[in-house]
Amino acid sequence: MTLPSPAASPSSKPTDLNSASRKRQRSRSMQSDSSTSIKRAASEGPSSATPIPIDHMADAPSVVDPVPEHEIDAYMAEQGEDVPLPEVAPTQPPPATTLSLEQKAARIKQLCAKPMVAGETWYVMSRHWFRRWEIACGILSDKAVGPLQEQDIGPPDNSSLFDAQGNLTSSLVEKVDVEFLPQEAWSELVAWYGQPINPLPRTVITRGSMQTALELRPPRLKVLVLRAWSPDPDISGPPHSYVTVSIKDKMKTVCKALVSAVTARINVPYRIWRLEPGEFSGSRIPASKLVSCGAQLVDEEADKSVEDSTIFFDDPFVVEFQEHGSWIADASQIVRAPAPSLHIPPPLFGESNFFNNLNNPTRTSFQSTQSLRTPSPSRRASSSKVNESAVAPYKTFGFSKTTIKTIQVPGTLGLGNMGNTCFMNSALQCLAHTKELTDYFLSGVYQDELNPGNPLGMHGAIAEAFGMLLHRVWDRNSTVTSYSPRDFKSQLQRFAPQFSGYQQHDSQELVAFLLDGLHEDLNRVLKKPYVEKPDWEGGQDLELAQLAQKSWEGYMQRNDSVIVDLFQGQYQSTLVCPECQKVSITFDPFMYLTLPLPVKKKWTHAIYYVPWDPSESHKKIPVEISRDASFKELKNMIGRWMGTQPDNLLTIEVFSHRFYKNLDDSVLCGDMIASDTIFCFELPCNSRQNRSYKQKDDDPFILPVALTDIAPLRPAYTSHPRINAANNFGVPFIIVVTQDQAQSVEGMYHAVIKRLQRWTLISDDLFTWKTRPSTNNAVTIPISRVSPIDTFVEIKENGDVVDGMATEGDIADESILTDQDAGMDVVAEEVPYVVGTKQGIFNLRLHTGYKDYTASGYGANAGRYEPWEDRIEEAEQGAPLLKDGDAFFLEFDENMKAYYFGGSQFENSRWDEWETFTHPEFLEARKAAAKQNNKGISLDDCLAEFTKEEQLGEDDVWYCPRCKKHQQATKKFDLWKVPDILAVHLKRFSNSRALRDKIDTFVDFPIEGLDLTALVGERLVGSRLAQSGVDIHQLGIREVEEPLIYDLYAVDEHLGGLGGGHYRAYALNHVTEQWYHFDDSYVTRTEASEAVNANAYLLFYRRRSNTPLGGKTHEKIEEVSRKAAEEVEAEAEAEAEAEAEAEAAAAAEVESATEQDVQLPTPPSESAATAALPFPLTQQQASSAGYLTPRSNTRSTPASSPPPLDDGDPPSFEDSQNDELVIPEDGLLGALDIMNQRFDFPNPPDRASPTSSMEAEPDNDLPRASLFRPDADINSWLAGNNGLPSPVGSDSDTNPFSDANVQKTSANDSMMDIEEIP
């Protein structure tokens, strides 16, 4: 048999845009398109795999003859498919010279402005390439890249988005990593610059309430082919292929895409099997593997999308083709088995990876010899230790003779990564190991408190999905080691579209959303009333406590749930007006505590400070400030150091002899790198870098000034702002032109000269001088020698150049020496003074388009030159000639430049004369930082930083009711009430550098004994009030004597950088009191100390208490436990009565038989009893559903007597009531007991799977050999024993019924295979 021939290999070239067959085009893109995470490269293979070469398989004969293309087209036409047009030779793209750069930029901008429409195809474009194109077009300028020509750009290239293995990088943030282009814009770029490299077409989909978004990471599916039954049970063939689909695609479309990946034929009958997620070494899977892989037939006609079918990234599918008119596999014989615990991928970061800097114990199987008894969680106090685990093995009969499935320790279930879902898995593990929350869900209390009608909730869907997940995690009878939470993610992305797809997300954001969603889904308040928030009216401790109580009670009127009982506390926020000292206090709830890290990354830089007074030297000032500080804070510091008004300081970046970026008050210092050159100019007026500044009519003009070489006249409109930048030299500066000076060119020229004198050593020659009589008497100076003489060049007003000799200190107008002057010994009583500025030193050129002192825009808007004549003609009489956005360019000819600034070394300039100014504050800050680095950071330091007083920013002002205006008040947070479960969020990610900064500093936090007593206002105020005789219970204050001490039980950690990396979790199992490390599906035992590392991101603490935690929630759990215990007791009594009746009936039968002298069967001989049994034995468990008799596979009735035991008579009813298995010590059943009640009191119809040979009949349809040991000779055994032995009088070593709790068998025959993590 030959399988159909394969489809064409996917090409890296884009799909032909002229093709009319969009369906075929999409199929090709599905094969070539791929998206995966960089961190998954090790375990998931390349993102673009070639289809399976099925026709090259040795044992795969052809099933059909080749079908001509015209027959395929006819068939497609009959089915209503698009028939592709004949192949057309690609047309030559129009030459790029037909459009100017400005026109191209405008064209792309226009196309990208269109909104996304669902179903459209957009392209992901690397920001690296797109930014280079913008620089070439003049849209942007980048000092690091420099000038670019259009011919330097190259074709559209997405190579920067892929790693070395060809996998897509984790982060695809718009405007940071990528740009989104509609298909029209992409086509234009391809036409202009050539065939693209690694194109990434993506489909526009709708999420949430019809919100459109680009599906950046569509699900990628694995495709295998089913082969016939064969002795070889292994998966063979070349690596399997991948198919990329959209989450909105219907299953019919998906099935066609899967088939297209393995064959080009369309008329071959096929069907699709869906397997459990796993890793597959080849592409050809035998039919015998379908059962063990949990195969399910896919309903191709179902009107479901990929998203509705809970299909996720890397899910495997098998295509089955008919052979000789029949299917390879018999679907009726393939019953979906439980999810296999096979194919578990290794951890994403192994021991050799730098991420895994923690000790990772070697994983082994669970091993335990503990009893089947399981302690009830409710029996444990908050600090008690429980060492027993509820594990029990069982063995199932299947195709493999050695198939052994093990019961896993509850709470050790790994969660499979479905494509960048580690952020979700780690958060779920932390919440799933919150004992009080787990008890609430496992006991079923949540089902009674669902609030599907809450408009703020999710109709109960999130709570239901989370509850089902917890039942899987804590299932005592689970035999799987990992589970992919598909249903939960499906519900999550349904109500939170931001978590859709396969992008990496913030684990803390998921925790926040999930806790809030659970709260609203389980809110006990069905109709929320309107509650007005109380105001602080002043007072002392009593009034403060009353305000807090009133605020909390008002909140509880609208919010009451298990999340409030466990996770929510209360902040105290205090605002103080800096003007009138008005104090405002409010109390607000919180669900998690976000703590800043006190040792923030510092920004150290050198600032070039230019005073307004030319007589003061310009200075180089080293500064150190937080990277999160704004330039407003920096100017406040410099203003304080230099004794000037901070509002009069203008900060700006200089690059390539021109102003590059306006650093206004909103810019963060951390946005500037070490190589950036930053100037700070002192002005005589407000620098207007604050957005709140309101400009006045008489405000002077603030203009940038650049020095440039004189150049030939150019057209009025230049094509690019960097035409001038190429001829710039020196240091640009800022001038302030008054309204009067701006009315004439001469006045502006004079203002420029006064600012220019700072930068040249020949500053005197910028002015014209005269002398006047001195007010002092003449001073006689003896001359002992001739003054030093230097040559000079004087430029007359008419332009003549005169050479001469000048004595040191003379001014230009009186520097001509005569022979008689050399002998004079009396200084004249006349002194020089400036009468004006010299004209013609430079050409004062006016440029426009310099908003914020830098050239902006492109094309005609990018810094054009404007003649003064045009501006004078345009302006009204007496009006200023300047406008906002104007700039001055000083054009120097070669001679003037050499005279005032020097030759090639600029020896006459003062551009390099910077006096270093080191303020004592800077030195103290450096010492303090070094001391803090040696000390390290603790969680207490983070708490202190959180409660530190700070001033509000300009964008976060507070309206003072007393001043009647907005104020930058001081604000302070304090903890007033803390919850039973404290979730701590370490704020490692900052908003600096376009969300690219992460603080990797190690924070030391306690595993046990986190004491918050001294930080909680409720305790401090309550203690003072209690000492003064106030009844604090009426204020809602709990017992103040018990300290507020917390113990760690879970940690969510993040490895790597922001936008990517990997999440893992540490958690304490409250049943076994053992810590575990969760790396998606990979779970290992660990120690609590391993969780304290530099990757810790979210910390979960539980409060110590002598009373149960949870308040109202705990009371509801207790009530359910009490009812369950009563039901158990009633059932036990009923069973005891039935057993007593059965015993009585049996005794009556024995008595009757004795009277009639009925002979009982003779017990078998001793030798027969010790014969080896041909079938394996499993541990047996008593069941009320009946017992297996030795000679039958059927159960006896409950009224019949069980097989006799060797350990004596059963206990009496009274004694049985004291058995730990029946009723726990406290008379209540814990959540695990309630959830798994069928384990202790079985009910056959409710059983998901058997746990012993007594609870299920063998499957008679299975091969008989699977029921016996491989070395058993059943015929000789039966011949020698005349049937199965009777349990009566048999040897306890070989009798399966000799002890219902212990089986004494050899190691080879033991069915115990209990996994334990060392």
Side-chain angles (χ1 to χ4, degrees):
M1 178 200 77
T2 355
L3 293 176
S5 60
S9 299
S11 173
S12 60
K13 298 182 180 181
T15 308
D16 184 7
L17 299 176
N18 297 323
S19 175
S21 176
R22 292 196 291 176
K23 291 192 176 181
R24 213 171 254 198
Q25 189 181 101
R26 184 176 192 181
S27 175
R28 293 176 187 142
S29 68
M30 285 177 179
Q31 296 177 41
S32 61
D33 183 22
S34 62
S35 60
T36 185
S37 168
I38 184 171
K39 69 182 181 63
R40 298 173 58 83
S43 61
E44 294 187 355
S47 60
S48 55
T50 57
I52 309 172
I54 302 175
D55 54 345
H56 296 151
M57 297 179 184
D59 55 346
S62 176
V63 72
V64 291
D65 295 329
V67 181
E69 284 293 329
H70 68 275
E71 294 185 15
I72 297 178
D73 295 340
Y75 176 81
M76 293 177 64
E78 293 176 1
Q79 301 299 319
E81 301 280 354
D82 295 335
V83 178
L85 295 176
E87 293 291 337
V88 181
T91 58
Q92 192 70 18
T97 55
T98 56
L99 294 177
S100 66
L101 274 174
E102 291 81 4
Q103 291 173 322
K104 291 179 181 179
R107 172 67 175 162
I108 297 300
K109 181 179 180 180
Q110 177 188 7
L111 292 174
C112 291
K114 62 172 288 191
M116 290 185 178
V117 178
E120 289 183 342
T121 297
W122 284 52
Y123 282 79
V124 178
M125 182 74 254
S126 166
R127 179 66 187 160
H128 175 75
W129 184 91
F130 197 77
R131 182 177 178 83
R132 287 173 54 85
W133 176 78
E134 288 179 321
I135 293 172
C137 292
I139 302 174
L140 295 178
S141 58
D142 191 334
K143 58 181 180 295
V145 177
L148 282 175
Q149 301 299 322
E150 187 177 13
Q151 58 268 23
D152 300 331
I153 302 173
D157 188 358
N158 283 329
S159 299
S160 61
L161 301 180
F162 294 84
D163 62 12
Q165 289 75 33
N167 298 289
L168 229 100
T169 55
S170 297
S171 181
L172 293 177
V173 181
E174 188 180 11
K175 303 298 182 183
V176 176
D177 305 296
V178 295
E179 293 286 342
F180 300 150
L181 305 178
Q183 186 165 349
E184 297 84 354
W186 174 263
S187 302
E188 295 277 17
L189 293 176
V190 172
W192 296 335
Y193 304 109
Q195 292 299 322
I197 302 173
N198 296 325
L200 289 175
R202 290 295 184 260
T203 304
V204 179
I205 60 174
T206 56
R207 289 174 175 167
S209 55
M210 302 305 294
Q211 177 186 359
T212 58
L214 206 58
E215 189 178 14
L216 291 178
R217 298 184 183 275
R220 185 188 68 172
L221 310 179
K222 299 176 182 177
V223 191
L224 295 88
V225 177
L226 190 69
R227 62 182 175 87
W229 299 82
S230 67
D232 183 11
D234 297 329
I235 299 175
S236 60
H240 56 74
S241 63
Y242 294 89
V243 166
T244 302
V245 297
S246 170
I247 62 173
K248 298 299 181 181
D249 283 345
K250 297 297 183 181
M251 290 308 301
K252 187 172 184 179
T253 304
V254 173
C255 291
K256 290 183 178 179
L258 294 172
V259 174
S260 299
V262 296
T263 180
R265 306 306 178 191
I266 60 175
N267 59 346
V268 181
Y270 67 88
R271 62 183 182 183
I272 308 295
W273 296 87
R274 180 180 177 180
L275 307 183
E276 290 290 340
E279 297 299 320
F280 300 91
S281 58
S283 57
R284 303 178 62 239
I285 180 171
S288 59
K289 286 280 187 180
L290 291 180
V291 174
S292 61
C293 292
Q296 272 186 312
L297 271 176
V298 175
D299 185 3
E300 184 176 351
E301 301 301 325
D303 190 24
K304 284 186 176 181
S305 65
V306 172
E307 185 177 30
D308 297 335
S309 303
T310 62
I311 295 175
F312 292 98
F313 197 91
D314 267 2
D315 278 1
F317 289 82
V318 175
V319 180
E320 178 187 4
F321 297 99
Q322 277 192 355
E323 290 186 5
H324 310 295
S326 61
W327 298 111
I328 298 174
D330 185 356
S332 63
Q333 298 298 319
I334 298 178
V335 180
R336 188 181 185 188
S341 58
L342 308 176
H343 311 306
I344 299 176
L348 297 178
F349 301 104
E351 294 181 358
S352 60
N353 193 286
F354 75 96
F355 275 156
N356 200 345
N357 55 3
L358 305 177
N359 292 329
N360 194 7
T362 304
R363 183 174 186 208
T364 62
S365 61
F366 291 92
Q367 295 176 351
S368 176
T369 58
Q370 300 293 332
S371 167
L372 293 180
R373 297 180 180 181
T374 305
S376 169
S378 62
R379 187 182 308 152
R380 300 172 55 250
S382 60
S383 60
S384 64
K385 302 291 183 181
V386 178
N387 296 320
E388 295 180 333
S389 59
V391 293
Y394 73 85
K395 183 171 182 178
T396 57
F397 302 110
F399 293 102
S400 175
K401 298 178 182 180
T402 59
T403 300
I404 297 178
K405 298 199 174 182
T406 59
I407 300 295
Q408 301 299 309
V409 174
T412 61
L413 181 70
L415 299 179
N417 194 317
M418 298 172 289
N420 276 334
T421 58
C422 58
F423 76 96
M424 180 183 73
N425 294 343
S426 60
L428 289 175
Q429 292 288 8
C430 292
L431 293 178
H433 285 79
T434 304
K435 176 187 178 300
E436 292 72 19
L437 185 65
T438 299
D439 289 349
Y440 172 80
F441 277 92
L442 298 188
S443 63
V445 176
Y446 80 99
Q447 294 177 338
D448 298 329
E449 294 191 337
L450 287 174
N451 187 354
N454 186 356
L456 299 179
M458 282 144 277
H459 314 298
I462 287 294
E464 290 275 16
F466 186 70
M468 293 176 63
L469 179 62
L470 288 185
H471 275 75
R472 281 188 175 271
V473 171
W474 292 100
D475 186 7
R476 287 181 177 175
N477 299 323
S478 176
T479 61
V480 297
T481 59
S482 67
Y483 164 74
S484 297
R486 301 166 180 274
D487 295 332
F488 178 84
K489 187 176 189 300
S490 178
Q491 295 297 339
L492 175 69
Q493 61 192 20
R494 173 185 170 195
F495 294 101
Q498 66 269 28
F499 297 117
S500 297
Y502 303 95
Q503 281 278 89
Q504 184 67 281
H505 296 280
D506 191 338
S507 190
Q508 183 270 333
E509 292 179 1
L510 176 69
V511 170
F513 170 81
L514 182 54
L515 290 180
D516 186 65
L518 291 176
H519 161 65
E520 295 297 350
D521 272 1
L522 300 169
N523 199 340
R524 300 171 186 130
V525 180
L526 301 181
K527 186 176 181 181
K528 296 188 177 185
Y530 172 75
V531 179
E532 188 172 350
K533 196 171 185 178
D535 294 327
W536 171 249
E537 298 177 356
Q540 300 301 321
D541 285 348
L542 179 60
E543 289 75 17
L544 187 67
Q546 290 173 343
L547 177 65
Q549 181 191 22
K550 189 174 181 180
S551 299
W552 184 256
E553 290 175 348
Y555 177 75
M556 290 294 292
Q557 291 181 39
R558 295 173 54 85
N559 304 275
D560 184 13
S561 70
V562 60
I563 304 300
V564 176
D565 292 341
L566 294 176
F567 288 90
Q568 292 198 354
Q570 197 175 21
Y571 284 136
Q572 175 187 335
S573 176
T574 305
L575 290 167
V576 180
C577 178
E579 186 172 326
C580 68
Q581 302 303 310
K582 163 72 176 175
V583 177
S584 173
I585 298 178
T586 57
F587 290 90
D588 299 291
F590 70 89
M591 198 151 44
Y592 51 88
L593 193 60
T594 298
L595 299 182
L597 273 61
V599 179
K600 302 175 183 177
K601 291 186 176 180
K602 295 293 185 178
W603 183 77
T604 304
H605 216 88
I607 305 298
Y608 294 91
Y609 178 76
V610 182
W612 181 255
D613 186 352
S615 64
E616 293 186 25
S617 61
H618 35 275
K619 299 176 176 63
K620 182 180 180 180
I621 307 176
V623 298
E624 184 174 84
I625 197 170
S626 169
R627 296 194 63 175
D628 294 330
S630 66
F631 269 85
K632 177 179 176 59
E633 298 174 73
L634 177 64
K635 291 193 294 185
N636 287 336
M637 184 174 68
I638 295 177
R640 184 174 66 253
W641 290 0
M642 306 310 297
T644 186
Q645 288 293 328
D647 291 339
N648 290 1
L649 298 179
L650 187 146
T651 49
I652 195 165
E653 181 186 358
V654 174
F655 172 71
S656 188
H657 312 293
R658 61 191 176 93
F659 292 127
Y660 180 75
K661 183 179 181 180
N662 177 30
L663 305 177
D664 61 26
D665 289 354
S666 64
V667 178
L668 296 180
C669 293
D671 288 343
M672 309 304 293
I673 60 177
S675 60
D676 293 338
T677 304
I678 299 174
F679 275 65
C680 179
F681 292 93
E682 181 191 5
L683 305 182
C685 61
N686 193 297
S687 63
R688 304 199 280 271
Q689 286 191 307
N690 193 311
R691 297 176 182 176
S692 61
Y693 179 80
K694 296 181 180 179
Q695 196 164 353
K696 305 176 183 63
D697 293 338
D698 59 347
D699 279 344
F701 296 93
I702 303 175
L703 288 83
V705 180
L707 311 180
T708 182
D709 295 327
I710 196 166
L713 290 178
R714 295 181 293 273
Y717 290 90
T718 62
S719 62
H720 198 281
R722 287 190 298 276
I723 289 180
N724 297 312
N727 300 318
N728 289 2
F729 66 89
V731 174
F733 55 90
I734 297 290
I735 68 166
V736 176
V737 180
T738 64
Q739 295 281 336
D740 293 337
Q741 291 173 324
Q743 293 180 14
S744 66
V745 178
E746 292 77 10
M748 291 180 279
Y749 182 90
H750 178 72
V752 171
I753 289 289
K754 292 188 69 174
R755 294 298 101 203
L756 186 63
Q757 65 177 322
R758 168 181 291 280
W759 305 109
T760 176
L761 296 174
I762 318 296
S763 58
D764 292 346
D765 282 358
L766 295 172
F767 304 95
T768 56
W769 299 79
K770 285 187 178 181
T771 58
R772 60 188 173 192
S774 173
T775 56
N776 300 325
N777 294 329
V779 179
T780 302
I781 303 177
I783 302 297
S784 60
R785 59 182 176 81
V786 178
S787 300
I789 299 176
D790 289 326
T791 60
F792 73 94
V793 178
E794 181 180 7
I795 304 173
K796 299 292 186 180
E797 294 186 5
N798 59 5
D800 295 340
V801 179
V802 179
D803 296 331
M805 308 291 290
T807 58
E808 183 175 339
D810 283 346
I811 60 174
D813 289 352
E814 300 187 25
S815 61
I816 306 299
L817 298 180
T818 60
D819 293 339
Q820 58 268 28
D821 290 337
M824 294 181 62
D825 58 354
V826 177
V827 176
E829 296 183 0
E830 296 182 344
V831 294
Y833 65 95
V834 174
V835 295
T837 55
K838 286 189 176 181
Q839 301 297 315
I841 299 176
F842 52 80
N843 295 328
L844 182 62
R845 294 284 186 180
L846 176 66
H847 283 246
T848 62
Y850 277 77
K851 182 182 179 182
D852 294 331
Y853 318 113
T854 61
S856 59
Y858 55 91
N861 297 322
R864 65 184 179 88
Y865 157 69
E866 183 175 347
W868 284 112
E869 293 79 6
D870 295 348
R871 184 62 66 88
I872 294 173
E873 182 179 351
E874 178 184 345
E876 299 179 0
Q877 183 68 28
L881 300 179
L882 296 178
K883 299 178 182 178
D884 290 337
D886 286 346
F888 288 158
F889 276 72
L890 312 185
E891 290 187 343
F892 286 83
D893 65 18
E894 185 176 350
N895 292 330
M896 291 293 184
K897 178 181 176 182
Y899 177 72
Y900 283 101
F901 303 110
S904 59
Q905 302 299 319
F906 294 111
E907 59 275 6
N908 291 338
S909 71
R910 300 184 61 195
W911 296 323
D912 296 327
E913 294 181 4
W914 296 93
E915 175 186 335
T916 301
F917 175 84
T918 305
H919 195 273
E921 279 188 28
F922 172 77
L923 298 177
E924 290 297 325
R926 296 301 295 269
K927 291 180 181 178
K931 183 178 179 180
Q932 184 66 39
N933 289 336
N934 295 331
K935 176 185 174 183
I937 308 176
S938 67
L939 193 60
D940 290 335
D941 297 328
C942 298
L943 288 166
E945 182 75 10
F946 171 76
T947 56
K948 186 174 65 176
E949 185 177 87
E950 62 180 2
Q951 187 175 21
L952 297 178
E954 294 182 353
D955 298 332
D956 190 25
V957 292
W958 169 67
Y959 182 79
C960 177
R962 183 180 296 172
C963 297
K964 305 298 182 183
K965 61 180 179 180
H966 289 90
Q967 297 280 12
Q968 285 184 258
T970 59
K971 185 174 185 178
K972 188 178 189 300
F973 277 121
D974 290 289
L975 296 175
W976 177 261
K977 184 196 299 288
V978 286
D980 291 340
I981 303 298
L982 180 64
V984 178
H985 167 219
L986 299 179
K987 193 176 181 182
R988 292 193 177 275
F989 302 133
S990 68
N991 295 327
S992 163
R993 278 296 199 197
L995 300 178
R996 280 328 217 223
D997 200 15
K998 178 188 175 184
I999 302 175
D1000 293 317
T1001 305
F1002 171 75
V1003 178
D1004 189 15
F1005 51 90
I1007 298 172
E1008 295 181 344
L1010 174 63
D1011 193 350
L1012 300 180
T1013 308
L1015 294 176
V1016 179
E1018 183 183 55
R1019 288 298 176 92
L1020 301 178
V1021 172
S1023 298
R1024 292 195 296 264
L1025 291 176
Q1027 292 174 4
S1028 62
V1030 177
D1031 186 2
I1032 61 175
H1033 296 288
Q1034 293 184 356
L1035 298 173
I1037 299 178
R1038 297 177 296 187
E1039 182 62 44
V1040 295
E1041 299 298 330
E1042 185 180 55
L1044 295 172
I1045 298 179
Y1046 287 80
D1047 297 321
L1048 185 74
Y1049 72 90
V1051 174
D1052 191 344
E1053 66 172 358
H1054 178 268
L1055 301 89
L1058 185 61
H1062 182 52
Y1063 286 94
R1064 306 186 301 194
Y1066 293 86
L1068 172 66
N1069 189 310
H1070 55 265
V1071 173
T1072 64
E1073 290 295 335
Q1074 172 67 47
W1075 279 82
Y1076 292 93
H1077 186 219
F1078 298 89
D1079 186 353
D1080 288 330
S1081 59
Y1082 194 77
V1083 182
T1084 56
R1085 268 191 181 182
T1086 187
E1087 299 297 330
S1089 58
E1090 299 293 337
V1092 184
N1093 59 71
N1095 301 314
Y1097 183 43
L1098 302 178
L1099 315 177
F1100 293 84
Y1101 281 91
R1102 178 184 291 106
R1103 184 172 64 86
R1104 289 184 194 173
S1105 178
N1106 297 324
T1107 58
L1109 305 181
K1112 187 183 300 184
T1113 295
H1114 175 74
E1115 295 174 1
K1116 290 179 176 291
I1117 296 174
E1118 290 284 290
E1119 182 181 355
V1120 171
S1121 300
R1122 189 174 297 107
K1123 290 181 179 180
E1126 292 173 356
E1127 293 176 1
V1128 168
E1129 185 175 356
E1131 184 178 352
E1133 291 177 357
E1135 289 182 353
E1137 291 177 0
E1139 184 178 354
E1141 293 176 0
E1143 289 179 355
E1149 291 179 5
V1150 171
E1151 182 179 357
S1152 175
T1154 304
E1155 292 176 354
Q1156 298 178 16
D1157 198 21
V1158 177
Q1159 181 66 34
L1160 293 174
T1162 302
S1165 64
E1166 189 74 16
S1167 59
T1170 58
L1173 297 177
F1175 47 85
L1177 302 179
T1178 61
Q1179 186 169 355
Q1180 302 177 42
Q1181 180 178 342
S1183 172
S1184 61
Y1187 298 89
L1188 286 177
T1189 58
R1191 296 180 180 274
S1192 172
N1193 286 331
T1194 61
R1195 295 184 181 273
S1196 62
T1197 62
S1200 64
S1201 299
L1205 304 176
D1206 290 343
D1207 55 356
D1209 296 331
S1212 64
F1213 172 75
E1214 291 76 10
D1215 294 336
S1216 68
Q1217 303 313 299
N1218 299 321
D1219 195 303
E1220 192 179 21
L1221 284 176
V1222 179
I1223 297 296
E1225 295 173 1
D1226 54 6
L1228 301 175
L1229 288 182
L1232 281 175
D1233 296 293
I1234 297 172
M1235 180 189 76
N1236 296 278
Q1237 187 171 337
R1238 67 168 184 256
F1239 183 84
D1240 296 308
F1241 304 96
N1243 184 8
D1246 295 336
R1247 295 188 180 276
S1249 59
T1251 57
S1252 77
S1253 61
M1254 294 176 60
E1255 296 174 356
E1257 296 181 10
D1259 190 349
N1260 295 324
D1261 294 333
L1262 295 177
R1264 186 176 183 183
S1266 64
L1267 297 176
F1268 298 91
R1269 294 196 182 105
D1271 56 347
D1273 187 352
I1274 185 65
N1275 295 324
S1276 62
W1277 190 91
L1278 289 175
N1281 291 277
N1282 297 322
L1284 293 174
S1286 169
V1288 181
S1290 61
D1291 192 325
S1292 61
D1293 290 339
T1294 55
N1295 188 349
F1297 309 107
S1298 63
D1299 192 333
N1301 296 315
V1302 179
Q1303 290 292 333
K1304 300 178 181 179
T1305 57
S1306 65
N1308 291 334
D1309 299 336
S1310 174
M1311 306 317 302
M1312 298 292 290
D1313 185 25
I1314 306 172
E1315 289 194 354
E1316 181 179 9
I1317 299 178

